[in-house]
Amino acid sequence: MSIIIAIANQKGGVGKTTTAVNLAAALALKKKRTLLVDLDPQANTTLTFFPIEEISYSVYDALADHQVNLTEIIKPTSWANLCVVPSKIALAKLEATLVGQFDGPYRLKDALAACREDYDFIVIDCPPALGIITVNALVAATHLLVPIQAAYYAMEGTDDLLETLSRIRARPNPDLQLLGVVLTLYDKRTNLARDIQQQVRRVFGAKVFRTLIGKNVRLEESPAYKETIFTYAPDSSGAADYQNLAREVLQRV
Ligand SMILES: Nc1ncnc2c1ncn2[C@@H]1O[C@H](COP(=O)(O)OP(=O)(O)OP(=O)(O)O)[C@@H](O)[C@H]1O
Ligand SMILES: [Mg+2]
């Protein structure tokens, strides 16, 4: 049984993509067969691995109609055990395409059915919104992982996300579990970060991962060189943080 982890938070720029890419890479390094699904029209995850010219079909084609199988658009990366389902700006049309379709929220779940047994982990990078794309991820997922940026207004929007989680659990996906909350962009030198950590731990308790993802410029640089943190800067604090997060994820699932 594969574990399907949706990385979601409708707040923008909180570290969803950085977490999806580097958690998936860390799991692949641990010899877990890993599929990284880019479900964001911004395609930041995709562009971490491939130049845009290399993307012909994208996840939109597999979700919008049944002409293209998801298995046909999976792209292997240069790293062992790590494949990617690429995205493109076309995915922004999905909302409109799925209006009135009775199976709209189930498209990703159905598309993954053909390949989910080929992977130990499927990691889904969601866009910063709670629309039909994120709903597709939550319906397909076994687990939700929420990155929260350790900054002012950190918890803004988490109520809406949790309400969406409970609505998805009530009907289409009762087995969906909150895997955990991870604090990102954490600056341990500041009192603010420490206060936010306390506040997040008060609300989410044991669901908050012990691992804190610190601010690390190497994490910001690596996508520009088409690398994950583990090849770009294997000795960086960012690499250590994502190794630790992967270890905790493996303990929890
Ligand atoms: N731990 C970190 N240290 C330093 N920079 C980081 C860290 N995590 C993320 N960043 C940078 O912060 C910015 C936002 O991160 P990221 O793209 O992962 O967020 P996101 O939640 O996916 O954003 P969006 O909502 O737009 O999809 C990026 O420039 C990224 O490189
Ligand atoms: Mg992103």
Side-chain angles (χ1 to χ4, degrees), residues 12-18 40 42 128 185 213-216 219-220:
V14 299
K16 292 181 288 296
T17 299
T18 305
D40 187 347
Q42 299 179 97
L185 287 140
I213 307 295
K215 263 197 187 147
N216 179 218
L219 285 169
E220 203 176 344

Side-chain angles (χ1 to χ4, degrees), residues 169-185:
R169 263 182 186 156
R171 205 67 78 70
N173 189 4
D175 299 330
L176 180 62
Q177 289 179 45
L178 179 60
L179 179 61
V181 168
V182 63
L183 279 154
T184 59
L185 287 140

Side-chain angles (χ1 to χ4, degrees), residues 131-144:
I132 192 77
I133 297 178
T134 296
V135 167
N136 262 270
L138 295 177
V139 169
T142 57
H143 295 81
L144 166 64

Side-chain angles (χ1 to χ4, degrees), residues 97-151:
T97 309
L98 295 185
V99 164
Q101 303 285 319
F102 73 95
D103 65 342
Y106 296 87
R107 292 289 175 98
L108 181 65
K109 186 186 173 78
D110 292 349
L112 285 173
C115 69
R116 62 177 292 181
E117 295 314 319
D118 299 339
Y119 298 96
D120 301 308
F121 282 88
I122 299 177
V123 176
I124 308 172
D125 184 23
C126 293
L130 282 178
I132 192 77
I133 297 178
T134 296
V135 167
N136 262 270
L138 295 177
V139 169
T142 57
H143 295 81
L144 166 64
L145 193 161
V146 183
I148 292 185
Q149 181 181 356

Side-chain angles (χ1 to χ4, degrees), residues 30 211 239-249:
K30 291 181 190 300
T211 302
D241 290 346
Y242 277 106
Q243 288 273 13
N244 290 335
L245 180 65
R247 204 169 300 134
E248 273 194 83
V249 164

